[in-house]
């Protein structure tokens, strides 16, 4: 879990530090840094699991699953190639806690890790590394692994192949602890047509939901009881849906399609199978979230505007589901919806995002607004109204011109 993260020179985030909870809710206008914060967290997690230079070229700073890509120069604040990107995360896990910092920049016109520090304590470990100061070489079976800087990959990525050979080495254990605390990390901004689409076998559902049928199919084969729990919880919210069907897609070899078994409109005793593409959008989003809830595929999951396809009654049920997910995975929820905040009923997990002339900033209203209790009384506990009124900041400001 990430307790706090400082981000410098990443897209619109010039220098931002934000404390995170098991559930953190980000609100603010378009262009205020909500999605950038989500992308920064996923980027840091990916850096611990990917090299900076691979078969497909240089590390891609774009959002995973998008069709486009983003270079270092496009990702750095103000697109200044002389700047470095800094990530500094305070981490905790059931077996320890620590801090991990990594700085990326150009060295001899090549993207490199320019600085890296790792502090981890717990489970018999007490590791404190500054890799600008400490010159470390791990003696592996095939060839020594040098951690000298500048370097083409982060320490957690470099030590991962040594997890068996040097399983008890403190540097290897600390690097793996950081990797597990940060990820897997993923962003979902669900698009109903992509959730419904037939798909081949995929290791993970894409950001837009493409591959839902694939991960459900794998879930069915791996743990039928958990799959049946998805069907049970789905029927509790939508009584007309009595089950899920996964079958080969007849139009494309190697792909599968999702169908919903539903009660017939003519009689409750008969059922029909409806292609996912004909199902209500909200139902598909709920199925995807139930998969996350019952199979815990991520250490950190970010959900971007899941309220878009939801009736207000269903939105309340959805938020309770997100709170359940937060019992096992860290959740970041980005929203524009005052109704979502009203249903939270508290400012504690809320972070207000605002755009300034020197980049975006992120505020914690529960800490930064001493008059929150009076405001709550004024708006009769309507947290969304408090935000939307402009009392907390983080709403669009019209120009006088």
């Amino acid at each position: 879990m990430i307790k706090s993260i400082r981000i410098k020179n990443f897209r619109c985030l010039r220098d931002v530090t934000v404390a995170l909870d098991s559930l953190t809710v980000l609100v603010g206008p378009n262009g205020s840094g909500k999605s950038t914060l989500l992308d920064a967290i996923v980027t840091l997690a990916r850096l611990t699991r990917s090299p900076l230079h691979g078969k497909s070229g240089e590390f891609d700073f774009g959002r995973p699953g998008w069709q486009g890509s983003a270079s270092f120069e496009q990702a750095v604040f103000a697109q200044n190639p002389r700047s470095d990107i800094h990530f500094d995360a305070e981490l905790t896990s059931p077996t320890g806690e620590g801090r991990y910092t990594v700085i990326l920049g150009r060295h001899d016109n090549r993207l490199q890790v320019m600085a890296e520090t790792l502090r981890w304590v717990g489970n018999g470990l007490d590791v404190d590394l500054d890799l600008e100061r400490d010159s470390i070489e791990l003696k592996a079976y095939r060839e020594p692994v040098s951690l000298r800087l500048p370097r083409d990959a982060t320490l957690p990525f470099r030590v991962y192949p040594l997890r068996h050979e040097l399983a008890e080495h403190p540097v290897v254990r600390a690097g793996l602890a950081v990797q597990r605390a940060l990820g897997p990390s993923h962003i979902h901004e669900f698009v109903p047509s992509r959730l419904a689409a037939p798909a081949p076998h995929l290791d993970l559902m894409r950001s837009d939901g493409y591959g839902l049928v694939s991960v459900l199919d794998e879930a069915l084969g791996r743990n039928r009881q958990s799959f049946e729990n998805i069907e049970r919880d789905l029927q509790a919210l939508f009584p007309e849906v009595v089950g899920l069907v996964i079958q080969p897609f007849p139009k494309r070899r190697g792909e599968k399609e999702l169908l919903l078994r539903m009660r017939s409109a003519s009689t409750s005793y008969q059922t029909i199978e409806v292609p996912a593409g004909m199902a209500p959008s909200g139902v598909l989003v709920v199925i995807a979230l139930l998969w996350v809830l019952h199979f815990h595929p991520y250490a950190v999951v970010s959900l971007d505007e899941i309220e878009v396809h939801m009736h207000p009654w269903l939105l309340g049920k959805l938020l309770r589901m997100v709170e359940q997910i937060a019992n096992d995975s860290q959740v970041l929820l980005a929203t524009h919806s005052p109704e979502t905040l009203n249903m939270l009923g508290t400012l504690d997990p809320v972070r207000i995002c605002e755009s300034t002339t020197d980049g975006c900033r992120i505020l914690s209203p529960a800490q930064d607004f001493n008059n929150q209790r009076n405001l709550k009384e004024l708006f009769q506990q309507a947290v969304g109204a408090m935000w939307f009124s402009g009392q907390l900041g983080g709403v669009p400001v019209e120009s006088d011109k």
Side-chain angles (χ1 to χ4, degrees):
M1 174 174 162
I2 306 169
K3 293 175 65 177
S4 70
I5 185 167
R6 183 182 184 188
I7 303 157
K8 293 179 63 178
N9 297 328
F10 183 74
R11 285 170 33 186
C12 70
L13 302 179
R14 174 68 182 86
D15 190 349
V16 164
T17 300
V18 56
L20 303 175
D21 300 317
S22 57
L23 170 62
T24 302
V25 180
L26 306 173
V27 298
N30 297 101
S32 61
K34 301 186 303 298
S35 295
T36 298
L37 176 61
L38 304 185
D39 287 336
I41 290 170
V42 169
T43 297
L44 177 57
R46 288 175 55 227
L47 285 167
T48 68
R49 295 167 180 265
S50 305
L52 295 182
H53 302 273
K55 293 180 180 179
S56 57
E58 194 171 87
F59 184 86
D60 184 1
F61 287 87
R63 181 176 291 189
W66 282 20
Q67 296 299 316
S69 62
S71 67
F72 171 80
E73 285 74 17
Q74 292 169 321
V76 73
F77 181 78
Q79 297 194 357
N80 181 359
R82 293 187 297 275
S83 295
D84 295 334
I85 294 176
H86 298 226
F87 298 108
D88 181 4
E90 187 179 356
L91 307 170
T92 185
S93 77
T95 59
E97 60 183 12
R99 189 172 199 134
Y100 178 64
T101 303
V102 61
I103 299 175
L104 306 177
R106 289 284 182 197
H107 178 74
D108 292 339
N109 202 34
R110 185 174 174 84
L111 181 62
Q112 300 273 268
V113 176
M114 306 301 294
E116 193 172 20
T117 64
L118 191 162
R119 169 75 172 149
W120 194 267
V121 177
N123 197 26
L125 280 178
D126 190 349
V127 173
D128 188 0
L129 296 175
D130 182 340
L131 292 168
E132 283 190 299
R133 175 196 69 200
D134 304 320
S135 181
I136 296 176
E137 191 170 81
L138 300 176
K139 294 183 178 180
Y141 176 73
R142 294 183 179 178
E143 60 182 39
V145 175
S146 173
L147 298 178
R148 294 185 181 92
L149 295 171
R151 185 171 4 96
D152 284 353
T154 64
L155 181 149
F157 176 80
R158 292 297 300 272
V159 302
Y160 182 77
L162 307 176
R163 65 192 182 281
H164 301 304
E165 183 181 344
L166 300 178
E168 298 304 316
H169 196 290
V171 172
V172 174
R173 291 176 59 197
L176 296 177
V178 166
Q179 193 182 73
R180 287 191 294 268
L182 286 169
S185 178
H186 205 57
I187 300 173
H188 283 302
E189 187 175 3
F190 293 125
V191 177
S193 61
R194 300 292 283 167
L195 286 164
H201 173 76
L202 298 173
D203 293 331
L204 206 60
M205 183 165 51
R206 302 278 170 81
S207 293
D208 58 8
Y210 179 70
L212 173 62
V213 63
S214 177
V215 296
L216 286 172
D217 188 38
E218 182 183 5
L220 177 61
R222 192 174 67 195
N223 190 330
R224 187 173 187 85
Q225 182 59 55
S226 292
F227 183 87
E228 291 174 354
N229 290 341
I230 292 176
E231 293 181 309
R232 178 204 64 204
D233 291 350
L234 183 65
Q235 188 175 10
L237 291 173
F238 305 99
E240 67 276 16
V241 181
V242 297
L244 301 175
V245 177
I246 299 169
Q247 66 180 27
F249 184 53
K251 294 185 177 181
R252 285 192 293 273
R253 186 176 180 180
E255 294 191 9
K256 293 191 175 182
E257 64 174 340
L258 175 66
L259 301 97
L260 280 66
R261 185 176 291 119
M262 305 183 72
R263 288 192 174 91
S264 171
S266 60
T267 171
S268 61
Y269 299 104
Q270 294 181 340
T271 62
I272 57 175
E273 293 182 355
V274 177
M278 298 173 61
S281 299
V283 174
L284 296 174
V285 172
V286 167
I287 293 171
L289 287 177
L290 286 172
W291 171 73
V292 176
L293 173 62
H294 286 287
F295 285 90
H296 323 299
Y298 314 118
V300 183
V301 58
S302 299
L303 303 170
D304 207 347
E305 297 185 49
I306 59 170
E307 73 276 1
V308 171
H309 307 285
M310 296 296 153
H311 185 280
W313 175 87
L314 183 58
L315 180 58
K317 302 288 185 181
L318 211 66
L319 285 175
R320 303 292 83 79
M321 192 186 306
V322 168
E323 290 170 349
Q324 284 183 278
I325 293 173
N327 291 329
D328 296 292
S329 304
Q330 188 170 20
V331 179
L332 286 87
L333 179 64
T335 181
H336 290 128
S337 167
E339 191 68 32
T340 297
L341 299 186
N342 290 343
M343 291 179 178
L344 282 174
T346 175
L347 288 173
D348 291 339
V350 176
R351 306 293 181 267
I352 302 290
C353 301
E354 294 186 326
S355 179
T356 73
T357 56
D358 191 32
C360 298
R361 64 173 183 164
I362 301 174
L363 307 172
S364 175
Q367 298 171 2
D368 296 344
F369 292 89
N370 295 325
N371 62 339
Q372 65 151 318
R373 180 170 297 177
N374 293 332
L375 284 170
K376 275 188 169 184
E377 292 172 359
L378 177 64
F379 286 99
Q380 299 178 337
Q381 306 298 323
V383 177
M386 292 166 57
W387 165 56
F388 205 60
S389 72
Q391 295 285 346
L392 300 180
V395 295
V397 177
E398 293 185 8
S399 172
D400 294 332
K401 297 181 180 180

